[in-house]
Amino acid sequence: MKQRARTVVFGTAMAAAMIMTAAMSAGGAAADVENPDATAQALAAAIDSGLRAAPDGRMPQAIVDSGSSSDWRKSTATDAVGEGPEMSAYLAAFAYGLIHPDAAPPGANRWDCKPSADHPRPVVLLHGSWLNAYDTFAFLSPQLARAGMCVFAVNFGRSGLLDGGGFGAIMPGRYGVGRIEDSSRQLAIFVDRVRAATGAEQVDIIGHSQGGTLANHYLKFEGGQGKVRELVTYGATHHGTSLMGIATLGRAINNLGIDILGFYDPIVGAANIQQAVGSPFYTTLNAGGDTVPGVDYTVVGSRHDEVMNPYEMTFLHAGPGAAVDNITLQDGCDQDLSDHLTMMYSPRAASIALHALDPVAYPELTCTFNPWLIGGGGGL
């Protein structure tokens, strides 16, 4: 009954979101992906519409992190440093990531790690929009490290000064907001550092949400082809998502922050506008097809993903010289109720990554209950 109730609640929320998306698109502003400034303001308004008041009564307000439509503000990347604790629940990891926004997920960024014969390629972890390396991978990273893999993580797309936001209190650790093209160049530098440190010719990449799209851009436009063997993505915005989907993510993260630490302004970054379905970014990204030769893709989507909707848009079509395995998380495992954020705390999702990277040692997929919204590594 509890699972059924959660499903009903989720379905109701999704229906409301789809209705709101259609209404906003009909109005024009929210779907104006050819005009980044208009789209940014529409997204800020969509986020504002669902924000809760802080305990002291103040109302947060979304702010746009950009210059003009022709001068999107650039961003930077930094290594995740100082390993945080292993977590089995998303909410706990999110809270820790607010206080330690630059923490490395456990097992990651051990720069003296040398790949073994069984695992010759290091694994690079890429978080999504408004997230960071720790709160995304505090569950998966240590499992990869215990499996004998060298694991590395970077916080990309860190925003510069904020237009309209000044120096007010900004929720810490909300990265992945800079232009995806800039983040792609940051990733290229990071991958080359990992290859140099480990002596490996190639890496494998695991990307969540925007992280999967970023990996695709790196493969196609920043010299990644030939340097990556396996790409595993979760809820990746490979073909874009609705503006309301992006707004849902922003509200969810900000409302969690209000509950935990008080009042913050959410950031509307350039990357979030680029991920609106039909944007010029996707026209360029997918003009030559979804894939590049020489890469094996494992693409995971969840039926309960309230951000990447419809979730099937995450799936890829294999082009020449590439292999694609599109996986719906609930196929054969209905009790996994993972949504966009909590899928990274799903034992089944973790087993998919382990199987993709080492099918001999991990031939079977796990199936266990993982709660929607909370995420508990298989339990409450």
Side-chain angles (χ1 to χ4, degrees):
M1 289 296 294
K2 290 182 179 179
Q3 294 181 27
R4 186 178 302 170
R6 289 188 182 94
T7 302
V8 170
V9 170
F10 176 81
T12 302
M14 279 292 293
M18 293 175 68
I19 291 171
M20 291 178 69
T21 301
M24 292 171 66
S25 297
D32 189 8
V33 293
E34 299 296 334
N35 185 341
D37 283 343
T39 306
Q41 295 301 333
L43 177 54
I47 294 173
D48 284 345
S49 68
L51 293 175
R52 299 197 300 264
D56 62 5
R58 291 183 295 168
M59 278 300 300
Q61 183 178 9
I63 54 179
V64 178
D65 179 19
S66 70
S68 67
S69 60
S70 61
D71 182 29
W72 288 102
R73 199 168 295 279
K74 292 186 178 182
S75 63
T76 60
T78 58
D79 294 353
V81 295
E83 294 182 33
E86 183 171 353
M87 295 285 187
S88 62
Y90 172 72
L91 287 183
F94 177 84
Y96 187 90
L98 283 174
I99 301 171
H100 306 88
D102 295 311
N109 288 358
R110 298 174 181 176
W111 289 93
D112 59 349
C113 184
K114 297 300 179 184
S116 65
D118 290 336
H119 303 104
R121 297 182 301 274
V123 182
V124 174
L125 307 177
L126 300 177
H127 61 79
S129 304
W130 286 314
L131 301 169
N132 60 57
Y134 178 81
D135 62 23
T136 303
F137 294 108
F139 178 67
L140 178 59
S141 176
Q143 297 186 62
L144 299 174
R146 284 194 292 269
M149 303 176 193
C150 295
V151 184
F152 296 89
V154 60
N155 286 318
F156 64 85
R158 299 177 65 131
S159 174
L161 296 177
L162 306 175
D163 281 13
F167 293 91
I170 302 300
M171 186 183 294
R174 300 312 101 197
Y175 308 138
V177 296
R179 292 173 69 252
I180 297 176
E181 294 90 340
D182 294 335
S183 295
S184 186
R185 287 187 284 272
Q186 296 160 16
L187 174 59
I189 293 170
F190 187 76
V191 168
D192 284 348
R193 284 179 55 211
V194 169
R195 292 170 60 236
T198 60
E201 293 185 3
Q202 291 183 306
V203 302
D204 295 330
I205 294 179
I206 298 177
H208 172 241
S209 193
Q210 184 199 147
T213 303
L214 168 61
N216 244 344
H217 189 278
Y218 164 65
L219 284 167
K220 294 177 179 179
F221 300 108
E222 290 297 334
Q225 186 175 357
K227 298 179 181 179
V228 178
R229 185 67 186 89
E230 301 275 350
L231 174 58
V232 183
T233 68
Y234 295 91
T237 55
H238 288 306
H239 299 103
T241 185
S242 68
L243 194 59
M244 185 52 67
I246 300 170
T248 298
L249 176 61
R251 286 199 301 266
I253 291 174
N254 194 76
N255 286 342
L256 287 173
I258 291 171
D259 290 341
I260 295 169
L261 290 180
F263 177 79
Y264 295 97
D265 287 332
I267 304 169
V268 176
N272 300 300
I273 308 308
Q274 290 181 301
Q275 290 174 92
V277 63
S279 73
F281 171 80
Y282 285 111
T283 300
T284 300
L285 178 68
N286 296 317
D290 288 352
T291 62
V292 300
V295 178
D296 289 343
Y297 298 79
T298 301
V299 184
V300 182
S302 172
R303 293 194 182 108
H304 304 301
D305 193 328
E306 70 278 60
V307 174
M308 185 59 221
N309 57 75
Y311 83 93
E312 293 91 348
M313 286 184 68
T314 194
F315 293 150
L316 298 175
H317 300 282
V324 174
D325 187 9
N326 291 316
I327 301 173
T328 297
L329 194 59
Q330 288 76 30
D331 280 354
C333 190
D334 288 338
Q335 59 263 48
D336 192 319
L337 305 181
S338 302
D339 65 356
H340 189 72
L341 296 174
T342 59
M343 72 172 70
M344 300 313 299
Y345 288 79
S346 158
R348 185 170 184 80
S351 71
I352 290 171
L354 289 166
H355 176 74
L357 301 183
D358 190 351
V360 175
Y362 300 92
E364 303 295 331
L365 300 185
T366 299
C367 180
T368 187
F369 170 64
N370 196 56
W372 175 65
L373 184 63
I374 302 169
L380 289 174

